[in-house]
Amino acid sequence: MVEVITAPPSPVPVRRRQAHWRHGAIRWRIPLLLTTPLLLYMLAFYALPVVSMLLRSLNDPTWSFDHYTALPNDAVFLKVFWVTLRTSLVVTLATLVLGYPVALALSRARSTAPFILMVILLPFWTSVLVRSYAWMVLLGRHGLINEALLAPKLIAHPIRLLNTTLATEIAMTHILLPYMILPIANALRQIDPSLARAASGLGATPRGTFWQVILPLSMSGAAAGVVLVFVLALGFYITPAMVGDSRDVTLSMLIAQQVEQFNWGYSAALSAVLLATALGLIAVAQRLPGVGNAFRMSLR
């Protein structure tokens, strides 16, 4: 009888599997190691302060929801909240109306595109405080605008422009305008030029091409710009405090006033409401038909 001797299994496949597993483990750990410093930074300087704020709103003077339950009956809070929403809405619409033509010109420009982009990004190189002071100089009683109107005797007396609701909306629109232009310009640049040529070849007029092709395809950038500008306008403080009307107090200004009075619990509750409003608007915008996908596409 012949005895068949079988060789022991080769350790090569086992070694390959082990090497593959180690390689996969390393590939999985590298992104985690790279993002760990950012995660720790966000945890220490963002998450913990937010949690501390929420706890303070519930623990001043005792553990309760009194600060939140009193807000629906607080006439001051309701008025301030309405002023904040109204100002944010007006500024968002103004930046959309003014920013879309600029974004369209930027997307179609060739040789002048760097110059247009530099003009758009110029406000980012200047502090918000400096820009607010500049608007105070322009809109003051003896500012440049009033002096320019008084010189040719277009007006008999200086117009009250500074410390008005209009001044707040103008200054905030100027500061937040780049946040609307850049997402729209990015969406317009991603539109295939052959689509416009095809529409023109099928008999569409330039106006019809814009309304039926360009505008619908650029809604991704418009959606992102609207959400971004509205959320930023909700928390604006410096500009409304400097150029706005003292009667049109925004929510961020009310929070600052309460902090100065050491009313920590009430100010923390107001801050939580402001944060919840911003997060709620983002969540609602992403769930609207077509807007959510457009918003995510524009941020890629």
Side-chain angles (χ1 to χ4, degrees):
M1 182 176 181
V2 180
E3 183 179 357
V4 179
I5 301 176
T6 58
S10 175
V12 175
V14 177
R15 293 177 181 175
R16 289 179 178 175
R17 286 196 298 269
Q18 293 176 349
H20 180 72
W21 180 84
R22 287 194 298 268
H23 181 67
I26 293 174
R27 292 183 60 184
W28 177 80
R29 292 174 183 174
I30 288 177
L32 180 62
L33 293 175
L34 292 175
T35 56
T36 296
L38 177 61
L39 294 175
L40 293 177
Y41 180 86
M42 294 296 293
L43 178 64
F45 296 102
Y46 180 77
L48 291 180
V50 170
V51 173
S52 176
M53 175 195 69
L54 295 176
L55 294 178
R56 188 181 289 272
S57 67
L58 299 174
N59 191 23
D60 185 31
T62 58
W63 288 98
S64 64
F65 290 90
D66 293 342
H67 292 298
Y68 294 98
T69 56
L71 290 180
N73 300 320
D74 190 346
V76 175
F77 164 76
L78 294 178
K79 180 182 178 181
V80 169
F81 192 65
W82 163 245
V83 169
T84 304
L85 292 178
R86 183 196 64 194
T87 304
S88 302
L89 181 60
V90 171
V91 170
T92 302
L93 292 178
T95 54
L96 180 61
V97 172
L98 296 175
Y100 195 97
V102 178
L104 186 62
L106 177 61
S107 64
R108 295 183 176 181
R110 294 296 179 263
S111 59
T112 58
F115 174 76
I116 298 176
L117 187 61
M118 183 186 66
V119 173
I120 295 172
L121 296 178
L122 190 61
F124 285 105
W125 304 336
T126 309
S127 171
V128 176
L129 182 63
V130 175
R131 281 176 278 174
S132 300
Y133 273 118
W135 278 108
M136 293 178 66
V137 174
L138 291 173
L139 301 174
R141 186 175 181 83
H142 299 286
L144 296 179
I145 295 179
N146 273 317
E147 292 296 332
L149 295 176
L150 287 171
K153 296 183 180 181
L154 295 177
I155 57 175
H157 304 284
I159 304 174
R160 183 175 181 265
L161 298 175
L162 189 61
N163 301 124
T164 61
T165 303
L166 179 62
T168 301
E169 295 168 354
I170 291 175
M172 289 180 61
T173 300
H174 165 252
I175 294 173
L176 295 176
L177 193 57
Y179 295 98
M180 180 68 72
I181 294 175
L182 296 179
I184 297 178
N186 181 48
L188 289 170
R189 285 184 176 274
Q190 295 179 2
I191 298 176
D192 192 351
S194 61
L195 296 177
R197 292 194 297 267
S200 179
L202 293 174
T205 61
R207 180 178 298 181
T209 301
F210 172 77
W211 286 106
Q212 298 180 17
V213 178
I214 304 299
L215 185 62
L217 293 177
S218 64
M219 283 297 99
S220 60
V226 166
V227 175
L228 186 60
V229 170
F230 195 91
V231 170
L232 290 175
L234 283 176
F236 243 60
Y237 169 71
I238 295 178
T239 304
M242 294 180 62
V243 305
D245 191 347
S246 58
R247 294 171 296 181
D248 289 340
V249 179
T250 61
L251 195 55
S252 57
M253 295 170 61
L254 181 60
I255 293 171
Q257 293 175 4
Q258 296 301 316
V259 170
E260 292 175 357
Q261 299 174 8
F262 300 101
N263 195 353
W264 300 107
Y266 185 56
S267 60
L270 295 177
S271 302
V273 170
L274 183 59
L275 177 62
T277 303
L279 295 178
L281 289 173
I282 295 175
V284 170
Q286 290 184 346
R287 291 183 177 274
L288 291 178
V291 178
N293 294 331
F295 181 70
R296 286 187 290 270
M297 288 175 59
S298 63
L299 296 180
R300 289 180 180 176

